[in-house]
Amino acid sequence: MNRKELVNRGNRSMALISGFAPKDIFKQVERTAIKGRHLTFIDDLTSKELENLFITAEMLEPFWRSGVTLLNGKILCTLFFQPSTRTRFSHETAMIRLGGSILTESNPLISSSAAKNESLHDSIRVISQYADVLVLRHPDHDRVISDIEKLNSNAIPIISGGYGNVTHPTQGLLDMYTAWRALGNDFHEMTVMIATPDLSRARSGQSFALGLARMGARIVYSGTEGLRTPDVIRSKLDELGANYTEYNDLSKKQQEQLILDEKVDLLYLPGCSVKKGEAGRDDFIKKMEEYYFTVDGLDRIREKSGKSVGVMHSLPRNEGEFDFKIDDTEYELYFKQISFSVPLRMSLLLNVVGVS
Ligand code: CP
């Protein structure tokens, strides 16, 4: 089936097809050229590959609600050993919008054979016989990475939906895409501040940071001593020649000044990764007091700098993390990130599964 027939098949209810035709999505997927690849860290992708993923996502944007049948007959499996709303549902939405189907397991330790002690390695080999691509969330990043290395050619592409504390590349990709859409596509001109009391467990912020480093943006960390950026991320940032500085234990007022001094464009709040009832959560929420950004504060920054700073958050959020009144202001980007997540994940799935 040729491209035109495929597009027409997927176009039963689309009004925006004319915008699709001049840009050939098939050629774009060839240009991106990441078919069959696993995605563990965002810097597994070159700057060219990242840019091509964003271009593909922009081409797919008109279809993120209506759909376009490009992956008809393909199957996505989502296997999540940790809770999720956004990452699992948005990958599943993306696959359905592309005309594919899904197999989903959101409680593997209860209702899959992992409950009978089947190894992750064997589970992935088995799933590889059914599906065309796997999105996996798992608490132990070392174990997943070592299992993926052992699998070699016996596995379908495996995309991290979050491994342990350090990697959540598709969140990083959607954050990059949001920045690209909100501020234009020159990352060299961008400064992003990542602010959280716990940089050691901020896998979304750290994934965003690796992507920003890959694309040449400036990164300003604001965290607390003792909960600093993990070594694995630090070495990657150094390998990438990242332009970054880490500040610790700043007061609210000092952070506001830092935003002005560093000419920050985007403020990224990775949120609390500690589950309800687990040790460290109350301490995190308490420390958030110094990271509580308000509409008044953002207005003051705009008055002094003449610039509106966009606020991003990976969600879910907790009361006390930041002023929810930001929701109704020009600074809000965190719900826009959700809308951008579907075309971005459509782009990722399409490029990794490939169109033949
Ligand atoms: N941002 C994020 O990873 O959300 P979920 O945990 O709901 O997937």
Side-chain angles (χ1 to χ4, degrees):
M1 188 178 299
N2 67 30
R3 182 183 77 86
K4 200 167 171 195
E5 283 168 329
L6 256 177
V7 169
N8 284 340
R9 267 168 57 105
N11 187 31
R12 283 184 294 274
S13 59
M14 282 191 285
L16 289 162
I17 191 70
S18 59
F20 195 94
K23 293 179 181 173
D24 190 327
I25 192 88
F26 285 67
K27 285 213 173 72
Q28 179 54 32
V29 171
E30 264 173 46
R31 262 193 295 276
T32 311
I34 59 164
K35 183 175 173 179
R37 294 250 298 266
H38 301 309
L39 179 60
T40 302
F41 286 98
I42 196 167
D43 62 317
D44 294 345
L45 298 162
T46 65
S47 53
K48 200 73 216 157
E49 287 164 349
L50 286 171
E51 193 188 357
N52 275 317
L53 274 173
F54 303 150
I55 293 169
T56 319
E58 200 169 356
M59 290 166 76
L60 291 168
E61 252 182 50
F63 309 105
W64 81 272
R65 300 286 302 174
S66 59
V68 56
T69 311
L70 290 162
L71 289 184
N72 191 27
K74 300 293 183 188
I75 295 176
L76 160 70
C77 176
T78 53
L79 179 62
F80 275 56
F81 286 82
Q82 290 176 302
S84 167
T85 298
R86 280 147 288 272
T87 311
R88 190 164 66 86
F89 285 168
S90 65
H91 277 102
E92 292 174 355
T93 303
M95 190 52 153
I96 291 166
R97 296 292 187 225
L98 287 166
S101 309
I102 54 165
L103 295 171
T104 188
E105 175 55 80
S106 59
N107 207 351
L109 292 174
I110 301 288
S111 52
S112 85
S113 282
K116 293 183 273 180
N117 211 27
E118 183 165 52
S119 68
L120 183 63
H121 173 276
D122 284 1
S123 299
I124 296 174
R125 275 201 75 161
V126 169
I127 288 166
S128 295
Q129 306 294 319
Y130 307 137
D132 299 283
V133 56
L134 168 66
V135 178
L136 172 68
R137 175 169 283 190
H138 197 279
D140 183 345
H141 83 266
D142 287 332
R143 178 159 153 212
V144 179
I145 291 167
S146 124
D147 276 9
I148 290 174
E149 272 165 16
K150 279 188 228 137
L151 283 158
N152 290 326
S153 57
N154 291 316
I156 50 175
I158 303 164
I159 295 171
S160 164
Y163 301 155
N165 289 329
V166 295
T167 170
H168 192 355
T170 69
Q171 176 71 45
L173 283 175
L174 78 89
D175 296 333
M176 296 285 292
Y177 185 57
T178 305
W180 196 73
R181 296 290 276 114
L183 296 182
N185 52 19
D186 190 355
F187 283 97
H188 290 95
E189 296 292 315
M190 235 179 257
T191 299
V192 179
M193 179 159 143
I194 299 171
T196 169
D198 188 357
L199 284 167
S200 71
R201 283 186 285 201
R203 67 184 180 190
S204 60
Q206 299 298 3
S207 298
F208 191 23
L210 290 182
L212 291 166
R214 173 65 92 198
M215 298 302 267
R218 163 113 178 106
I219 304 152
V220 178
Y221 284 112
S222 177
T224 55
E225 195 61 55
L227 294 170
R228 299 173 74 209
T229 295
D231 287 344
V232 59
I233 303 291
R234 242 169 233 288
S235 356
K236 281 179 168 290
L237 290 169
D238 293 338
E239 268 166 41
L240 291 165
N243 173 5
Y244 76 101
T245 312
E246 198 170 295
Y247 298 86
N248 285 312
D249 303 318
L250 299 185
S251 67
K252 231 181 297 191
K253 207 167 158 206
Q254 287 171 319
Q255 301 207 62
E256 238 178 81
Q257 191 55 46
L258 185 61
I259 290 175
L260 287 165
D261 294 344
E262 289 275 4
K263 300 184 173 53
V264 167
D265 300 293
L266 297 171
L267 174 60
Y268 192 85
L269 309 172
C272 179
S273 58
V274 187
K275 267 168 63 180
K276 257 175 117 171
E278 278 183 7
R281 186 179 165 88
D282 290 348
D283 196 33
F284 178 94
I285 303 282
K286 191 161 168 26
K287 284 192 179 129
M288 276 308 300
E289 282 167 20
E290 289 302 341
Y291 297 80
Y292 190 87
F293 291 93
T294 62
V295 176
D296 288 349
L298 294 164
D299 284 347
R300 269 194 303 277
I301 290 166
R302 187 183 54 190
E303 246 165 59
K304 288 181 191 163
S305 66
K307 186 162 81 173
S308 297
V309 174
V311 178
M312 301 173 75
H313 191 292
S314 45
L315 301 178
R317 60 184 177 175
N318 295 277
E319 285 286 351
E321 284 191 50
F322 64 94
D323 182 359
F324 290 179
K325 290 199 197 83
I326 295 172
D327 290 9
D328 303 314
T329 68
E330 71 204 55
Y331 310 119
E332 181 278 314
L333 285 178
Y334 33 92
F335 289 117
K336 294 183 182 72
Q337 285 167 256
I338 305 292
S339 339
F340 287 130
S341 73
V342 177
L344 183 281
R345 282 169 171 148
M346 286 170 79
S347 163
L348 181 63
L349 293 174
L350 183 64
N351 278 296
V352 165
V353 173
V355 278
S356 43

